Amino acid sequence: MTTAHERAAQLRAELAEHAHRYYVLDDPTVSDADYDRLYRELEAIEAEHPELVTPDSPTQRVGAAPSGAFDPVTHRQPMQSLGNAFSADEVREFDARVRKAAADPEAPVAYAVEPKMDGLAVSLTYEAGVLTRAATRGDGATGEDVTANIRTVRSVPLRLRGDDLPALIEVRGEVFLPLDGFAAMNAAQAEQGNKPYVNPRNAAAGSLRQLDPNITAQRPLAVFCYALGAVEGYDLPATHDALLAQLADWGLPVSQHNSIAESIDACLEHYTQLLDSRGALPFEIDGVVYKVNDLALREELGSVARAPRWAVAHKFPAEEATTTIENIEFQVGRTGALTPVARLKPVFVGGVTVSNATLHNMDEIARKDVRVGDTVVIRRAGDVIPEVARVVADKRPDDTRLVELPKACPVCGSDVQRTEDEAVARCTGGLVCLAQREAALRHFVSRGAMDIEGFGAKLVTALIEADLLHSPADIYSLTADQLAGLERMGEKSAANLVAAIESSKQTTFARFIFALGIREVGEVTGRSLAAHFGTLDALLEADQEALEQVPDVGPVVAAHMQGFLAEQHNRDVIQALVDAGVNWPAPKAGGGGALQGKTLVITGTLDGVSRDEARAEIEAAGGRVTSSVSKKTDYLLAGEAAGSKLAKAEKLGVEVLDLAALRALIAA
Ligand code: 9MJ
């Protein structure tokens, strides 16, 4: 008879094999339905025997609690970046430097050639074959802990394949969004009336830096591995291609487009080929990387600053096209910033038709001397929105028109101000300005803020146009009848929305602060302010000095807070929201709260409360919730089916609480 323990191990191995075939080799041998059946069988065993859950179980990819912030991670070996070359000459100079260090400077050097992924570098730490940590590059020395998010990326193995695995290995690679996944994400954005992501890189970065890993899990991120950091208990092979073959054998995703060139000339041929065929690749690349293949020669070469001397990134030229400027208009953002935008005669650049290009700010317009009527070169570099690169001077007609910074906001007519030390000019209209109001309302209902499900950008616009929405507080007096009266809104959707609006009233202080849309006050600052002040009254009374006492709040953020709170109409909106019933758990009496200064981690399924609710209780008592257990963790709040975090807490001697024990502690 197979025991539950044996069956679970068998299922884990089978599922890992199928996932590898599906996500890494792109060569599945079972149907999705068969995979799901095995997965559900494992889930059922684990539900009945929580002690059998292992950190590398495929069921453990999702379900980690949202974290308050990403903890810093010090890389065992720094994560290097690459030096760039922009021409064949620069590439040959690189090769000449490499050959000088070789035994025979006349002999050609062999290079590994890799497409340069335009994503985010990550470091994956495997200890005895198990993924224990994933971190972003950060400044190269210290990155951010994104383990819970990376665990949701299906092509990243939670456990390496094979026996005789290294005691420890840091695998470096790039997280990116394949183009089909990017298109799907933007289709979903459009459906919800949200702004599209400008490019796959931004979308990948946004997906990886989600505080809630359950959101990352829904994003089709992929990874290619291409280098190593620290290694313990593993002898490196002689060459880079052998190393990549080893990574692939361990089940790690490695690009199929890598190859070996026997000389720098051969590298340049690969470059031309990849430049020509980049449009046919399923992901975006912004150049080609050449790496000395012989690892012993690499040792000889060493590194300069933060980049190895044995590798170079040969960048593709930014894509450019020429067109004319038909007009220059100013767009107003949420914080009132006026951005000059060139309206163009539509032109095809880098695979898309472009009819608008940013001019960034007035200084840029002056520096480039851009005028309406000019013929200009539009540049679309893989990772940025199209911009006006330069004017074609000899095509300037006589009747060009200079643009000036408007004195009044083009949307609301309020004064436009530009401070000495800022390149941006801003509309002073605040929420009087329709553009700012619309953006502020979109922000207010958004996910990290009041999180009103189904309340998209299009609805915000429609409600403003219908004169039903002026300030955030109006949201809470909308009726199902009013909503159902809007175009393309059925009665059922209207009823759902009213319910979503109602349930959003129950929030957290941190979300509420963030939702107000104060300049420079993001989700993290919102949490810091909430934890520090505890109550709305305390926050409303805070002066500059008190605000600067808050961790992460400097003079600039404090000044923005002050500026916001100094406006009576902002205070009126806050009062109206509270009057409408927006509320959050009160902190414990007596200031500090029982968990003041304590760091907690939540794991497993809690009885009767969601993790967000548990987090709110902890934060209301002054505690902080982070995503991973470390020596600095004070308590682990563990529910049903707690897995790796529980094991780690026990190993580190971190006190483990259940919900009742936590509440007893808070009440004490
Ligand atoms: C990218 N971005 O595709 C490296 N990279 O190697 C490849 N980056 C790299 N290699 C060492 N293919 C440091 C960075």
Side-chain angles (χ1 to χ4, degrees):
M1 240 262 330
T2 329
T3 62
H5 183 274
E6 285 162 352
R7 182 62 184 152
Q10 204 172 33
L11 286 166
R12 276 198 301 274
E14 260 186 66
L15 285 162
E17 174 65 24
H18 291 317
H20 177 68
R21 297 200 68 97
Y22 187 92
Y23 292 105
V24 180
L25 305 182
D26 198 13
D27 181 23
T29 50
V30 292
S31 68
D32 290 359
D34 286 340
Y35 181 90
D36 287 345
R37 215 168 24 72
L38 296 171
Y39 187 92
R40 280 197 303 271
E41 186 185 345
L42 178 60
E43 262 186 335
I45 296 178
E46 289 179 346
E48 203 170 317
H49 306 275
E51 73 282 2
L52 294 183
V53 178
T54 59
D56 64 341
S57 171
T59 60
Q60 299 302 297
R61 285 195 185 269
V62 289
S67 71
F70 299 107
D71 290 335
V73 173
T74 304
H75 302 300
R76 286 183 169 78
Q77 243 188 49
M79 282 182 83
Q80 297 185 305
S81 52
L82 295 170
N84 289 324
F86 294 95
S87 66
D89 283 349
E90 285 178 26
V91 170
R92 289 184 191 285
E93 285 164 21
F94 157 77
D95 175 57
R97 290 194 298 273
V98 167
R99 278 186 290 109
K100 265 196 203 149
D104 175 5
E106 300 305 315
V109 167
Y111 293 96
V113 178
E114 302 174 350
K116 184 170 182 302
M117 310 304 301
D118 192 15
L120 298 109
V122 285
S123 182
L124 312 173
T125 305
Y126 287 88
E127 292 175 69
V130 177
L131 177 68
T132 52
R133 172 82 73 240
T136 61
R137 205 178 90 83
D139 63 6
T142 306
E144 290 182 314
D145 186 339
V146 288
T147 313
N149 291 357
I150 286 292
R151 288 175 68 89
T152 70
V153 179
R154 298 301 199 280
S155 62
V156 172
L158 299 177
R159 171 187 286 277
L160 298 180
R161 298 153 63 85
D163 322 309
D164 201 19
L165 295 164
L168 181 142
I169 194 158
E170 284 178 334
V171 181
R172 269 77 195 264
E174 200 86 356
V175 176
F176 63 97
L177 261 172
L179 289 170
D180 57 354
F182 174 67
M185 266 175 74
N186 268 351
Q189 285 289 102
E191 200 153 287
Q192 289 155 20
N194 293 329
K195 252 176 48 183
Y197 296 94
V198 281
N199 58 46
R201 188 183 185 284
N202 285 11
S207 302
L208 186 62
R209 297 197 80 267
Q210 285 290 335
L211 291 170
D212 184 351
N214 296 299
I215 298 175
T216 311
Q218 294 156 21
R219 307 284 170 83
L221 291 171
V223 170
F224 280 148
C225 299
Y226 49 60
L228 287 188
V231 175
E232 288 167 25
Y234 167 65
D235 291 327
L236 290 175
T239 60
H240 184 75
D241 58 336
L243 172 63
L244 293 187
Q246 175 66 77
L247 296 183
D249 273 351
W250 283 332
L252 289 157
V254 173
S255 173
Q256 310 273 326
H257 300 271
N258 297 342
S259 53
I260 294 291
E262 293 301 336
S263 69
I264 205 68
D265 288 320
C267 286
L268 293 170
E269 278 166 31
H270 279 285
Y271 175 87
T272 310
Q273 266 170 23
L274 276 163
L275 183 57
D276 286 346
S277 63
R278 69 195 284 199
L281 292 176
F283 42 79
E284 223 168 56
I285 64 174
D286 62 347
V288 184
V289 184
Y290 312 133
K291 299 175 174 176
V292 169
N293 195 35
D294 179 347
L295 300 193
L297 179 53
R298 285 191 188 180
E299 282 291 314
E300 290 293 316
L301 284 156
S303 300
V304 280
R306 287 191 290 155
R309 290 168 65 189
W310 43 260
V312 73
H314 190 181
K315 301 291 281 271
F316 288 149
E319 297 184 66
E320 296 186 339
T322 304
T323 186
T324 51
I325 296 188
E326 295 178 336
N327 200 3
I328 294 176
E329 290 174 2
F330 289 82
Q331 269 175 4
V332 185
R334 173 160 70 83
T335 61
L338 260 63
T339 305
V341 178
R343 308 291 179 202
L344 309 166
K345 185 160 173 274
V347 61
F348 199 66
V349 201
V352 293
T353 301
V354 171
S355 39
N356 302 300
T358 181
L359 286 157
H360 301 291
N361 54 55
M362 294 310 291
D363 290 350
E364 281 290 294
I365 294 187
R367 195 173 63 78
K368 294 173 179 160
D369 185 24
V370 184
R371 305 177 192 181
V372 176
D374 266 333
T375 295
V376 288
V377 174
I378 302 303
R379 180 163 55 209
R380 190 175 163 267
D383 57 344
V384 285
I385 39 179
E387 61 171 359
V388 174
R390 59 188 174 274
V391 172
V392 184
D394 54 11
K395 289 213 175 148
R396 173 166 285 174
D398 294 333
D399 59 348
T400 56
R401 181 162 58 80
L402 277 165
V403 280
E404 279 174 26
L405 181 67
K407 293 196 167 41
C409 170
V411 178
C412 72
S414 301
D415 283 351
V416 167
Q417 267 178 10
R418 186 175 163 182
T419 48
E420 285 300 320
D421 51 348
E422 265 199 328
V424 257
R426 288 176 203 276
C427 159
T428 55
L431 294 182
V432 170
C433 177
L434 188 63
Q436 292 188 55
R437 198 159 78 217
E438 207 170 323
L441 285 161
R442 280 203 299 265
H443 170 79
F444 184 82
V445 299
S446 70
R447 201 176 217 137
M450 298 306 284
D451 192 18
I452 308 183
E453 210 176 313
F455 214 123
K458 286 204 180 120
L459 181 61
V460 170
T461 309
L463 286 167
I464 289 176
E465 278 169 3
D467 208 20
L468 290 170
L469 194 53
H470 306 92
S471 117
D474 296 339
I475 290 170
Y476 294 98
S477 50
L478 288 171
T479 64
D481 278 351
Q482 285 173 328
L483 288 165
L486 298 173
E487 220 175 293
R488 284 185 303 157
M489 170 79 69
E491 281 189 13
K492 179 123 203 301
S493 318
N496 286 344
L497 253 171
V498 170
I501 291 169
E502 185 58 32
S503 75
S504 79
K505 285 183 184 171
Q506 179 72 49
T507 185
T508 65
F509 189 25
R511 276 177 177 275
F512 180 76
I513 297 170
F514 173 62
L516 296 173
I518 303 159
R519 254 173 83 191
E520 308 273 344
V521 179
E523 283 178 83
V524 175
T525 308
R527 288 215 181 94
S528 299
L529 289 164
H532 184 87
F533 290 107
T535 66
L536 182 58
D537 286 340
L539 179 69
L540 292 177
E541 277 168 24
D543 58 13
Q544 177 87 15
E545 199 186 337
L547 287 162
E548 287 186 32
Q549 299 298 311
V550 181
D552 315 327
V553 173
V556 174
V557 177
H560 288 316
M561 279 299 296
Q562 274 289 290
F564 182 88
L565 295 175
E567 298 277 347
Q568 187 56 43
H569 68 89
N570 289 332
R571 287 179 177 260
D572 292 345
V573 167
I574 291 174
Q575 190 56 50
L577 287 166
V578 172
D579 291 344
V582 173
N583 72 97
W584 49 86
K588 249 202 63 81
L595 298 177
Q596 196 64 44
K598 301 288 186 205
T599 301
L600 289 87
V601 173
I602 308 176
T603 188
T605 310
L606 301 168
D607 198 14
V609 297
S610 73
R611 292 200 177 173
D612 271 342
E613 287 162 345
R615 169 203 282 282
E617 286 185 38
I618 291 166
E619 287 178 348
R624 203 166 79 92
V625 177
T626 62
S627 62
S628 58
V629 178
S630 74
K631 278 182 284 191
K632 292 194 200 129
T633 310
D634 293 294
Y635 302 105
L636 178 74
L637 171 60
E640 280 294 303
S644 62
K645 287 182 184 171
L646 180 57
K648 181 141 185 218
E650 283 167 352
K651 197 169 122 199
L652 293 175
V654 170
E655 190 171 336
V656 179
L657 306 173
D658 61 13
L659 194 61
L662 173 77
R663 288 180 171 159
L665 192 67
I666 292 174

